[in-house]
Amino acid sequence: AQTVTQSQPEMSVQEAETVTLSCTYDTSENNYYLFWYKQPPSRQMILVIRQEAYKQQNATENRFSVNFQKAAKSFSLKISDSQLGDTAMYFCAFMGGRLVGGGADGLTFGKGTHLIIQP
Amino acid sequence: KAGVTQTPRYLIKTRGQQVTLSCSPISGHRSVSWYQQTPGQGLQFLFEYFSETQRNKGNFPGRFSGRQFSNSRSEMNVSTLELGDSALYLCASSPGVQGAGQPQHFGDGTRLSIL
């Protein structure tokens, strides 16, 4: 079974600063996908960014980018020019790439990092 | 395009009762997954349905069950409710099965409280 670890329960930065959230994972699978989701107080889980394990290029979505280190099993999220609306719980998630034999076991989530953007 | 719709938003039950939660996926999405979110255990996978068939199931007792209809709408049922079942239940949909790597899109969840 795979595990996802987020070592920072809470982080606080000033508006406009850059912040990096850490995530490590453990798996024996070679084909998988990694995601970052944010969950604001409204509680809806919103996809931030997605990375395919077989792609070496780091994914980028506007102010959000990842540093994917497959050998180290590390998948950190960098938020540039942070905004007040970025305040939320951020979850790192893993999904295996098996399509047969029962398929993937759903998303495996880390415990989350509570990110607070201060004005 | 409408997002994932979960009903009801809030539910209060007592121990021993049963409950049914509903989830309507994004139009065209055929995979529906359910997750339980609690402060202690975090987010845990319950099960996935695709084309009316359960493909995967997480490590939950048989009191937790679900089904999917031909229009891809899904229901989750919990019988003989226990205090520990109090949680936010999230539904997520995607066009294809888990393992294909497509992002899952989540609903707002149903907050279930057991008294």
Side-chain angles (χ1 to χ4, degrees):
Chain A
Q2 50 276 341
T3 58
V4 177
T5 302
Q6 294 180 249
S7 58
Q8 306 147 312
E10 185 169 290
M11 296 185 71
S12 180
V13 298
Q14 296 293 123
E15 194 176 6
E17 289 184 346
T18 294
V19 60
T20 299
L21 309 184
S22 301
C23 173
T24 58
Y25 59 94
D26 190 25
T27 183
S28 58
E29 297 186 41
N30 195 46
N31 183 32
Y32 53 87
Y33 304 87
L34 296 164
F35 305 86
W36 278 97
Y37 282 89
K38 66 181 277 190
Q39 188 178 39
S42 65
R43 83 191 191 195
Q44 184 181 23
M45 197 76 72
I46 300 166
L47 175 70
V48 175
I49 203 163
R50 168 182 175 270
Q51 175 78 43
E52 298 166 352
Y54 59 85
K55 285 189 176 178
Q56 293 188 351
Q57 186 173 9
N58 290 322
T60 300
E61 286 289 340
N62 301 313
R63 298 183 295 109
F64 300 87
S65 61
V66 298
N67 183 5
F68 174 49
Q69 301 289 328
K70 190 171 183 179
K73 294 180 181 173
S74 171
F75 183 61
S76 61
L77 175 70
K78 186 173 83 171
I79 305 174
S80 303
D81 185 27
S82 57
Q83 301 174 0
L84 296 178
D86 294 334
T87 293
M89 282 292 291
Y90 284 80
F91 293 95
C92 178
F94 172 102
M95 178 180 286
R98 286 177 290 120
L99 290 172
V100 296
D105 298 322
L107 285 164
T108 299
F109 287 90
K111 292 294 188 185
T113 296
H114 185 205
L115 177 63
I116 300 169
I117 309 299
Q118 305 275 9
Chain B
K1 202 179 217 183
V4 177
T5 303
Q6 290 188 247
T7 57
R9 289 264 297 175
Y10 300 91
L11 208 47
I12 299 174
K13 293 287 187 179
T14 57
R15 282 182 298 173
Q17 287 186 311
Q18 75 165 17
V19 68
T20 299
L21 312 182
S22 180
C23 172
S24 293
I26 292 172
S27 177
H29 286 195
R30 296 171 62 194
S31 170
V32 174
S33 299
W34 289 88
Y35 295 84
Q36 181 195 64
Q37 185 176 23
T38 61
Q41 298 299 316
L43 284 146
Q44 294 182 285
F45 169 69
L46 279 156
F47 29 64
E48 179 203 9
Y49 285 88
F50 183 84
S51 292
E52 302 177 64
T53 301
Q54 186 182 91
R55 293 189 74 246
N56 301 294
K57 184 171 166 57
N59 189 25
F60 279 83
R63 300 186 296 107
F64 291 82
S65 63
R67 59 178 175 168
Q68 187 180 35
F69 302 94
S70 58
N71 61 357
S72 294
R73 190 177 72 85
S74 176
E75 290 182 347
M76 188 190 91
N77 185 75
V78 188
S79 63
T80 319
L81 286 165
E82 300 177 359
L83 292 177
D85 297 334
S86 293
L88 179 66
Y89 289 89
L90 292 167
C91 168
S93 75
S94 63
V97 299
Q98 290 180 7
Q102 295 159 319
Q104 296 193 339
H105 300 268
F106 286 80
D108 288 342
T110 293
R111 173 76 65 188
L112 175 62
S113 299
I114 311 301
L115 304 179

